[in-house]
Amino acid sequence: MTLPRFEEITIGQQIPPLTTGPVSRLALALYAGASGDHNPIHVDIDFARKAGMPDVFAHGMLSMAYLARILTGWVPQSALRSYLVRFAAITHVGDVITCSGRVVEKFVQDGEQRLRLQLETVNQDGETKLSGEAVVALQ
Amino acid sequence: MFDTQHIGRALTPFSIEVEAGRLRFFAKATGQADPVYIDESAARNAGHPALPVPPTFFFCLEMESPKPAEVRELLGFDIGRVLHGEQGFSYHRMAYAGDRLNFAGRIVDIYEKKGGALNFVVVETAVTNQHGQPVADLRKITVVRAAPTPGA
């Protein structure tokens, strides 16, 4: 993977997005196992209802992992300096999630040419689920 | 409102070895088809010594603490009322399958919003590798919905 050239990057430039299939209960079960997050609220509807939720819902960190794929799909992971998200709304079973990012700042720090990216995930209705940012170094 | 005397409290430190099989399972569960995260030879061809730990997997390793419910038990809340508010990572160097990573967490803030309807706990965790080098710093904000008032 070759790094994008800093001087060719423009503010507002989008990085390649990705859209997932509808979030399935199987996806939540697999993520529970793979992540080690066994909170039953994501996989056990009986537990979720007792906790006052209408259904199980996705782990926020599953969406954060989806969103990370557009970063590591665009630059090598070693270029990633920071990555932060706020979980704005619950991602529900059946949601189709689109992950996107765009360059909002170019700057030099610690001798590195860096980009700040604004990131978000939205569902099929355009509702923002995660919003965040990442900093990548292009050297 | 949680007792703010716990601000500054260090959590039980621990270390864990990164297993290649778990990284492959995580790649499957997150739809990651990039061979660098699945196939040792693809990882080596990309200049890595082994399968890399992907950006958010440090959070998963953090949950391998021998006391995974330490904060919840310390502050006394129910897992069914927990929401993840915010998660941040700062990265210092890559980590790989076979590395032994050390986790040192600390409660750095406790506060409430909406008149106590939402309670917040902020935990920061420093991750270092078997050589003592900094790998990543994690910052997690947990939101706890207040229990409903009886009869309400």
Side-chain angles (χ1 to χ4, degrees):
Chain A
M1 188 183 291
T2 54
L3 281 169
R5 291 173 59 83
F6 186 75
E7 51 274 22
E8 292 172 359
I9 299 288
T10 55
I11 301 296
Q13 180 178 333
Q14 299 269 342
I15 69 172
L18 78 81
T19 299
T20 68
V23 173
S24 67
R25 294 172 198 279
L26 173 62
L28 302 188
L30 285 174
Y31 187 77
S35 69
D37 183 345
H38 300 162
N39 185 339
I41 206 143
H42 300 299
V43 288
D44 182 342
I45 192 169
D46 303 325
F47 181 92
R49 285 179 175 162
K50 276 184 198 149
M53 307 302 288
D55 196 354
V56 298
F57 56 92
H59 308 74
M61 291 304 290
L62 173 58
S63 292
M64 193 177 187
Y66 289 150
L67 191 54
R69 282 170 47 204
I70 69 170
L71 299 172
T72 59
W74 189 56
V75 295
Q77 189 184 328
S78 56
L80 192 57
R81 294 291 172 267
S82 64
Y83 177 32
L84 177 145
V85 306
R86 288 167 293 278
F87 300 100
I90 286 174
T91 298
H92 296 287
V93 171
D95 277 350
V96 173
I97 296 300
T98 297
C99 303
S100 65
R102 63 190 179 90
V103 177
V104 293
E105 187 184 358
K106 297 172 69 173
F107 59 103
V108 174
Q109 188 178 343
D110 298 337
E112 294 181 328
Q113 295 174 324
R114 295 182 175 182
L115 307 176
R116 189 179 310 279
L117 303 167
Q118 189 174 306
L119 307 166
E120 69 171 359
T121 73
V122 300
N123 72 354
Q124 62 283 358
D125 299 320
E127 185 188 359
T128 300
K129 300 296 191 179
L130 272 62
S131 64
E133 65 168 56
V135 172
V136 299
L138 300 186
Q139 295 300 341
Chain B
M1 176 70 172
F2 301 132
D3 192 339
T4 53
Q5 73 167 355
H6 296 300
I7 295 172
R9 178 169 180 129
L11 304 176
T12 304
F14 66 97
S15 69
I16 182 168
E17 185 177 328
V18 181
E19 299 168 14
R22 275 207 66 188
L23 296 182
R24 283 193 201 91
F25 187 17
F26 187 78
K28 176 182 179 179
T30 59
Q32 176 57 276
D34 183 341
V36 164
Y37 293 99
I38 302 164
D39 177 353
E40 300 274 351
S41 58
R44 277 195 291 273
N45 287 341
H48 303 294
L51 293 182
V53 175
T56 66
F57 193 73
F58 296 103
F59 178 87
C60 307
L61 292 168
E62 185 182 22
M63 282 190 299
E64 297 300 315
S65 163
K67 294 186 177 178
E70 188 170 15
V71 172
R72 187 151 48 84
E73 288 168 0
L74 192 64
L75 300 181
F77 56 85
D78 172 20
I79 194 171
R81 314 207 66 81
V82 172
L83 295 170
H84 201 167
E86 192 174 307
Q87 182 66 42
F89 300 88
S90 298
Y91 301 104
H92 305 297
R93 58 175 40 74
M94 296 287 288
Y96 297 99
D99 281 350
R100 176 160 282 277
L101 300 181
N102 311 300
F103 287 73
R106 181 177 297 276
I107 296 174
V108 297
D109 205 1
I110 291 171
Y111 55 93
E112 65 175 29
K113 287 185 182 175
K114 298 191 179 176
L118 296 175
N119 291 278
F120 294 76
V121 185
V122 185
V123 172
E124 291 182 355
T125 304
V127 184
T128 54
N129 64 17
Q130 64 273 28
H131 309 296
Q133 299 165 318
V135 169
D137 296 307
L138 282 60
R139 180 179 166 87
K140 172 171 66 179
I141 303 183
T142 299
V143 186
V144 184
R145 297 177 293 136
T149 311

